[in-house]
Amino acid sequence: AIPALSVPLLGQPAQWHQTLGILLPLAGVAAIVARGDLGALAELRLNQGDLWALAAVACWALYAAGLRWRPA
């Protein structure tokens, strides 16, 4: 989430190795969650706890990306 926010907030696009470092683990997690059946991902449902966790990730990403503007 932090590299995704670095582009609009800081104007720093992710380099190829950063993008690869994000996509490979995401693909691994998706394979584990789907138990090898990619069609199972379409049937996943988010509950309230999942949404809270995603909101926390978004808040942390904003905080981490905003550290650049922290006064010295």
Side-chain angles (χ1 to χ4, degrees):
I2 296 170
L5 289 175
S6 293
V7 174
L9 293 179
L10 305 175
Q12 293 178 331
Q15 297 179 3
W16 70 269
H17 61 279
Q18 292 171 319
T19 304
L20 188 63
I22 294 168
L23 293 178
L24 282 177
L26 281 178
V29 169
I32 291 170
V33 168
R35 296 183 180 148
D37 179 21
L38 294 180
L41 290 177
E43 298 177 16
L44 285 179
R45 301 287 181 254
L46 295 177
N47 62 34
Q48 187 177 10
D50 297 331
L51 298 176
W52 277 109
L54 289 173
V57 167
C59 288
W60 182 260
L62 282 170
Y63 166 76
L67 283 175
R68 170 147 311 184
W69 295 302
R70 182 181 65 138

